[in-house]
Amino acid sequence: MSDDTIRPVPQPGILDIAPYLPGKSGAPGSNAVKLSANESPLGASPRAMEAFRAAADHLDIYPEGSSRLLRTALGEVHGIDPELIVCGNGSDDLLHLLAQCYLGEGDEAVMSRYGFSVYPIITRATGAAIVMVDEDDYTADVDALLAAVRPKTKVVWLANPNNPTGTYLPDAEIRRLHAGLRPDILLVIDNAYAEYVTAEDFTVATALVREAQNVVMVRTFSKMGLAAARIGWMFGPAPIVDAIHRIRGPFNVNLPAQLAGAAAARDVEFTARLKAHNAQWRDWITAELNQSNHFRVVPSQANFVMVMFPDADHAALAFQTLLERGLIVREIGASYGIPDGLRISIGSEQAMRGVVGILKALVKIA
Ligand SMILES: *Cc1c(COP(=O)(O)O)cnc(C)c1O
């Protein structure tokens, strides 16, 4: 009774999804420097590492399912009600759950053209359509986003600051976006890089979440030294929190991650050190490369910069040359439709000096 032509078929939309393309990693054992995944150049918080190790004594017991100890720490540090926090296996976990809860066949989600590449994947996985909105010089355009909203729109995805461009919207623009949306549309504000922002007119979405019934803020520990531990969290209104709890994995954050996350959240000194290092070298690489009119560094508020080259060939040559010299950066042609740009994570001083030296030598202005 076997008919080779009959087999399980994924839901509509699934096979239209282009798989997520992660940044290139070094070969195991190589001493290449990875500047392609926006990881911490200062490692993890020592207190988080200690907490993670201590969890090894308790690996036989299921973790507390709601991540209470992590939510308590986050509530203290961020001044928010722990009951309105949901933790996830990375913030990707929460983004998927939000899509699953609020999108389905026939619905539409709106996002900015160069927004985070996970949003189209999770939208299409639900059978909904993604509507891409043009940007203004690699920055989300609030008027264009609002103009793209239709009766079918259920979700607006917005990373602030955005990956891979590093650009951000000030608080006033976020509020203007929110004010223009129907109250039945969910506005997801992904503040993955909030810890790195130095712009004074930026705010995390906390206040807006408190004031509105249709806004959630999504955060991650991945860019703050704990990418391997997979810890994300969201803060939202009670009805949304309730819906997400109903469908999340019952033990979606493992015990070592809960403990490490709680310790990292409370290690505000480490967070400040990472922010200061990042601001210093982000400013430096931006200024250095902008000295040449061969490059344009898009102003970044995140822990990476997007460097624009005269064309795709120049970007490809720069990528290859850096790679040969042991510096792995992120190509954003195939994954983001920006073939003339490269995304470069802010690394150690040595890595930043290496990148600048190589790029300048490439255009013979060094
Ligand atoms: C890195 C990143 C995430 C995902 O973080 P994880 O917590 O590692 O899943 C989410 N949103 C944006 C914009 C990111 O750049």
Side-chain angles (χ1 to χ4, degrees):
M1 285 305 290
S2 86
D3 177 340
D4 281 355
T5 65
I6 300 177
R7 60 188 71 170
V9 176
Q11 288 291 312
I14 301 284
L15 297 182
D16 301 333
I17 296 171
Y20 179 80
L21 293 172
K24 207 173 169 60
S25 301
S30 86
N31 49 16
V33 176
K34 192 177 166 203
L35 301 172
S36 57
N38 303 339
E39 292 148 334
S40 157
L42 304 182
S45 146
R47 292 198 217 164
M49 289 192 282
E50 193 184 311
F52 193 94
R53 284 191 200 99
D57 293 338
H58 308 282
L59 293 184
D60 53 328
I61 310 291
Y62 275 103
E64 192 281 312
S66 78
S67 303
R68 179 167 295 116
L69 65 92
L70 175 53
R71 290 186 295 109
T72 302
L74 288 167
E76 271 170 38
V77 174
H78 296 276
I80 56 189
D81 179 358
E83 294 302 312
L84 298 179
I85 295 174
V86 187
C87 297
N89 183 39
S91 58
D92 281 339
D93 183 22
L94 298 164
L95 294 168
H96 273 272
L97 294 169
L98 287 164
Q100 203 183 330
C101 260
Y102 293 98
L103 290 170
E105 196 82 46
D107 294 336
E108 289 180 354
V110 168
M111 70 176 279
S112 212
R113 172 135 351 252
Y114 302 117
F116 188 39
S117 66
V118 161
Y119 308 149
I121 296 176
I122 60 181
T123 298
R124 292 194 182 112
T126 70
I130 188 87
V131 176
M132 294 279 195
V133 175
D134 284 338
E135 302 196 353
D136 181 7
D137 194 21
Y138 298 111
T139 306
D141 177 338
V142 168
D143 293 310
L145 287 167
L146 290 174
V149 170
R150 306 199 299 169
K152 292 171 171 180
T153 307
K154 294 290 168 60
V155 171
V156 175
W157 303 111
L158 184 76
N160 195 36
N162 183 51
N163 174 12
T165 58
T167 56
Y168 79 107
L169 290 184
D171 188 47
E173 281 292 275
I174 295 288
R175 285 180 177 273
R176 199 161 71 77
L177 173 62
H178 175 254
L181 295 175
R182 297 192 313 269
D184 64 308
I185 296 175
L186 175 64
L187 174 59
V188 178
I189 300 184
D190 180 350
N191 284 153
Y193 297 93
E195 284 83 357
Y196 289 111
V197 175
T198 51
E200 282 176 7
D201 57 357
F202 169 88
T203 58
V204 290
T206 314
L208 189 57
V209 169
R210 279 204 196 90
E211 294 162 26
Q213 284 302 308
N214 64 333
V215 181
V216 300
M217 170 177 77
V218 179
R219 306 281 292 266
T220 179
F221 285 86
S222 295
K223 312 295 157 45
M224 299 301 295
L226 289 175
R230 312 303 306 130
I231 316 161
W233 57 284
M234 59 163 258
F235 171 51
I240 296 178
V241 165
D242 173 66
I244 298 298
H245 274 310
R246 286 168 196 262
I247 62 163
R248 70 174 172 81
F251 305 101
N252 63 334
V253 183
N254 65 70
L255 178 69
Q258 289 188 31
L259 292 170
R266 291 195 170 101
D267 195 348
V268 291
E269 189 216 329
F270 180 78
T271 304
R273 211 148 58 76
L274 208 42
K275 179 178 185 177
H277 171 92
N278 188 71
Q280 178 183 352
W281 294 99
R282 182 179 68 198
D283 285 354
W284 183 82
I285 191 173
T286 301
E288 286 287 323
L289 293 180
N290 279 340
Q291 282 169 11
S292 159
N293 53 20
H294 190 79
F295 310 111
R296 183 170 76 96
V297 181
V298 175
S300 171
Q301 286 293 315
N303 68 340
F304 56 84
V305 286
M306 185 170 80
V307 182
M308 305 307 298
F309 295 80
D311 55 40
D313 286 347
H314 281 88
L317 176 67
F319 175 81
Q320 200 52 40
T321 308
L322 289 165
L323 188 62
E324 282 159 14
R325 304 285 297 274
L327 294 162
I328 306 171
V329 303
R330 181 76 138 93
E331 290 181 292
I332 47 177
S335 48
Y336 284 99
I338 311 177
D340 52 341
L342 293 176
R343 193 192 70 192
I344 304 176
S345 304
I346 303 304
S348 65
E349 169 174 356
Q350 191 189 4
M352 294 298 92
R353 291 193 186 279
V355 167
V356 165
I358 291 165
L359 291 182
K360 283 188 169 180
L362 212 52
V363 294
K364 298 184 177 54
I365 59 152

